[in-house]
Amino acid sequence: GVNDANLRLSWQSEAGAYCFECDDMSITVDGQGRIVSVSSSDIPGSGADDEAMQKTAKKLLGELGIDTPELISSEREGNVLYMSFGCGGKIPRECDRVRIGIAADTGRLYSLDASAHYNAPEAGNAAPSVSEEEARGALPDGVSAERAALVFAEDTGGRERLCWDFPCTDGDTELH
C-alpha cells in the first residue's frame, strides 16, 4: 500500500541495497530486491484487536513471499502489536525470524525487520537428543505443560540445537 508517486530514493549502498522514503515510511530493500525493513513515524490510535492484526501480519508476510510463518510471540506496545514469526518451516529457528508491527487504528504495516530471515543459514537435518517424554519428565515439580514443539535454539556457543519447547504455567506465569 505505497503511493509510487511519493516514493523517493533516500540512499543506495555499494552492496546494492536501497532505502526509499514514502510519506511517513522508510523502506529498505536488499540487493536481491527483497524488502528487509520498514519503519513508520506515524503515531497510531487504538482500534483493531490482536487477532485481526495477527491475520493482517500473516497476509502481509505471504505477500512478501515469506511462507508459512508461525507466530512465536506477540507484544502490544501502545497501539502497535509487535509480533515475531518463525519462518524456518515446520520447526521454528531463533535465527530465522521476522518481526512485524501492525498499527491498531489502520491495520497498516508499522514496522518490519526480515533481516534475520534473509540471513539465516540453511537448517541441517537434526534429531532431538531426547524424546518428548524424557524432556517432559525433566520439568520441575509444579510446572505443567499442555503441549510440546520442536524448536531450533542457539546454545551459548552460537550453534543451533534442536530442543523441546514447552509452553508451561506455574500459576499465573507463562514460561518456555
Side-chain angles (χ1 to χ4, degrees), residues 77-108:
E77 291 182 19
N79 292 317
V80 177
L81 181 65
Y82 293 98
M83 296 157 277
S84 288
F85 287 91
C87 304
K90 293 182 180 184
I91 302 174
R93 300 168 61 208
E94 286 288 327
C95 67
D96 192 354
R97 293 198 176 191
V98 173
R99 183 162 163 87
I100 187 170
I102 302 294
D105 58 351
T106 62
R108 279 183 53 202

Side-chain angles (χ1 to χ4, degrees), residues 32-175:
Q32 296 177 7
R34 303 174 299 199
I35 296 176
V36 176
S37 68
V38 175
S39 61
S40 175
S41 60
D42 187 31
I43 300 173
S46 62
D49 65 5
D50 290 5
E51 188 174 321
M53 290 187 286
Q54 287 175 13
K55 287 180 183 176
T56 299
K58 283 189 171 188
K59 180 182 175 206
L60 288 170
L61 292 175
E63 289 172 0
L64 291 172
I66 300 173
D67 296 328
T68 63
E70 183 70 31
L71 182 65
I72 302 296
S73 65
S74 65
E75 175 183 21
R76 187 123 182 199
E77 291 182 19
N79 292 317
V80 177
L81 181 65
Y82 293 98
M83 296 157 277
S84 288
F85 287 91
C87 304
K90 293 182 180 184
I91 302 174
R93 300 168 61 208
E94 286 288 327
C95 67
D96 192 354
R97 293 198 176 191
V98 173
R99 183 162 163 87
I100 187 170
I102 302 294
D105 58 351
T106 62
R108 279 183 53 202
L109 178 64
Y110 185 78
S111 66
L112 172 78
D113 181 358
S115 57
H117 172 65
Y118 292 128
N119 293 316
E122 194 69 32
N125 292 331
S129 57
V130 297
S131 69
E132 178 183 344
E133 293 76 27
E134 290 171 306
R136 191 178 291 277
L139 292 173
D141 291 337
V143 175
S144 63
E146 294 180 16
R147 58 185 169 83
L150 284 171
V151 297
F152 281 102
E154 286 186 20
D155 65 17
T156 54
R159 295 177 304 270
E160 283 189 329
R161 182 179 186 151
L162 191 57
C163 302
W164 288 102
D165 179 44
F166 295 98
C168 303
T169 57
D170 73 350
D172 296 330
T173 307
E174 185 172 319
L175 310 165

